[in-house]
Amino acid sequence: MPTQPDVMEKLVSLAKRRGFVFQSSEIYGGTGSVWDYGPLGVELKRNIQERWWHAMVRSRGDIEGLDAAILMHPRTWEASGHVSGFVDPLVDCRNCKKRFRADDPKIKGTPGTPGAQCPACGMKGTLGEARQFNLMFKTFMGPAEDTAAIVYLRPETAQGTYVNFLNVQQSTRQRIPFGIAQIGKAFRNEITPGNFIFRTREFEQMEMQFFVEPGTDMEWFEYWKTQRMEWHRGLGLSPDRLTFHEHAADELAHYARAAFDVQFDFGGSLGFQEIEGIHNRGDFDLTQHQKFSGKKLEYFDQGSNKRFTPFVVETAAGPNRILLALLVNGYREETVEGEAEGRAVLGLHPALAPIKAGVFPLVKKDGMPEMAKRIADSLRPSFSVFYDDSGAIGRRYRRQDEIGTPFCITVDGESAAGNSVTVRDRDTLQQERITVAALGEYIGQRIAA
Ligand code: GAP
């Protein structure tokens, strides 16, 4: 039984109508499981990423930033195990040409046998045997399309960090334990993408690799589990919708000694799903890159005068999935006392909301629009604000509620004389009168939390 209501359909429609997420190449019928982020979506995604960057890099002394390229030397992916191991078993239907994961529970019978039935067209005996399908996208580097020039679009940002481990360590003179963080695109030719932006073929990752002395890895693993769960709670994701899922031995990725997912309850048929993975990768990656490149990736500890290959504890989150979690978590419909029409609200944390304040003249006369525009212009250098003078004031409030704007500032009949405005709170619907001079501080304090 679903634990939470399914709001996905409503969110897909809201996301398109209000400019959070559009289907990629929509005028051509769309591209399979690729999405574009519109004016509000890009703000929300950036706010998530900036909050992560601040927590992981800027506010700490022991993590350095990096922005590695998407295209890497092809040997990288042999060393990392992705060429041989980043595969899903796949079956094709000869009749309807649809593809499925071989372990898709909708398949009846064993693929490749006469009794197996295709879950899409219903034909029996048309499903081929399972084949291993590599999830990496291939492309060609340089003008000649020969095999020597094949490169991959990275399926994770992590490898850019491993190959740069010594560059970062030596240029910053960091001492172990320390970390390297990056945010960037990753690509996986997922067999069963879907559920809106939950699983897509092009997505972003916010990854951090923390390099530690072998033997201290499980302590750091516990530390990062706690830190990362707290960070997700700090986004406003409801604590009862967040949980850890421990990977059993047969679930562990080829590089992992231990792994926990942070899961969020998306409701409906999705239920609890991974939004971040925390992995103890041991010395797997650095050892592999040393083997394949012939270059040492060891750390020299001056204190103890010893050389070793560090272990890595990795935190790997997806801003696209977190964005979806925030929409699901925040969406609510409620009745409003004394009003016939209810309202839809996106209860986003004020720090993450794409627009911090709507600025409205109560009516389009008596100098109110001019004053409201002046206020909007004065706030703009510090906050994203939206000026709106069209339609009834109630409708303008509703339009901001459904995109998560925490404050609505209204210039009314009393404003000119007292140089004051009303500020309406999205969640409590309380209105306070405050002076124009105090507005910046008022909003600043409330979004800083
Ligand atoms: N370096 C480790 C690694 O890549 P992962 O668990 O495969 O770990 C980390 O990916 C995060 O990236 C996931 O928790 C998820 O948020 C995001 N992610 C992975 N595949 C995705 C996809 N196809 N679409 C959207 N996000 C994805």
Side-chain angles (χ1 to χ4, degrees), residues 105-295:
K106 294 193 296 300
I107 295 178
K108 300 208 175 65
T110 309
T113 61
Q117 189 172 348
C118 171
C121 69
M123 286 277 274
K124 256 191 185 166
T126 54
L127 289 180
E129 271 182 33
R131 297 182 290 123
Q132 294 299 337
F133 174 76
N134 196 293
L135 300 183
M136 284 194 294
F137 280 96
K138 274 185 199 163
T139 188
F140 299 94
M141 181 104 99
E145 287 198 9
D146 57 23
T147 47
I150 281 182
V151 290
Y152 298 97
L153 301 189
R154 66 180 177 198
E156 59 173 15
T157 58
Q159 299 304 324
T161 293
Y162 296 126
V163 300
N164 276 300
F165 161 65
L166 275 190
N167 283 338
V168 174
Q169 191 270 321
Q170 289 169 354
S171 58
T172 60
R173 294 187 293 121
Q174 281 281 3
R175 293 196 178 169
I176 270 175
F178 81 97
I180 302 177
Q182 57 174 326
I183 299 177
K185 291 246 174 172
F187 302 82
R188 295 181 189 176
N189 204 355
E190 302 276 6
I191 298 166
T192 47
N195 289 304
F196 193 28
I197 55 173
F198 177 78
R199 181 173 283 109
T200 53
R201 296 193 167 110
E202 173 177 345
F203 57 96
E204 277 164 273
Q205 290 192 312
M206 308 188 290
E207 291 203 281
M208 191 282 298
Q209 281 72 32
F210 206 71
F211 298 86
V212 305
E213 193 173 342
T216 63
D217 44 308
M218 279 320 284
E219 248 170 77
W220 282 109
F221 186 72
E222 288 306 319
Y223 168 84
W224 281 112
K225 267 177 61 190
T226 311
Q227 290 289 312
R228 297 306 305 146
M229 184 58 99
E230 269 176 32
W231 186 81
H232 286 285
R233 288 191 179 158
L235 297 179
L237 293 175
S238 166
D240 60 331
R241 296 183 85 140
L242 285 168
T243 188
F244 278 121
H245 164 75
E246 181 176 7
H247 284 219
D250 60 352
E251 250 183 291
L252 286 176
H254 60 274
Y255 51 73
R257 295 171 158 235
F260 274 75
D261 292 339
V262 176
Q263 290 188 332
F264 172 79
D265 187 355
F266 286 87
S269 58
L270 264 178
F272 277 94
Q273 296 288 343
E274 171 188 350
I275 52 174
E276 170 154 359
I278 298 148
H279 313 123
N280 180 350
R281 290 176 80 134
D283 60 2
F284 176 83
D285 303 88
L286 291 182
T287 303
Q288 286 292 100
H289 286 305
Q290 296 189 73
K291 248 190 241 165
F292 278 70
S293 69
K295 301 268 162 36

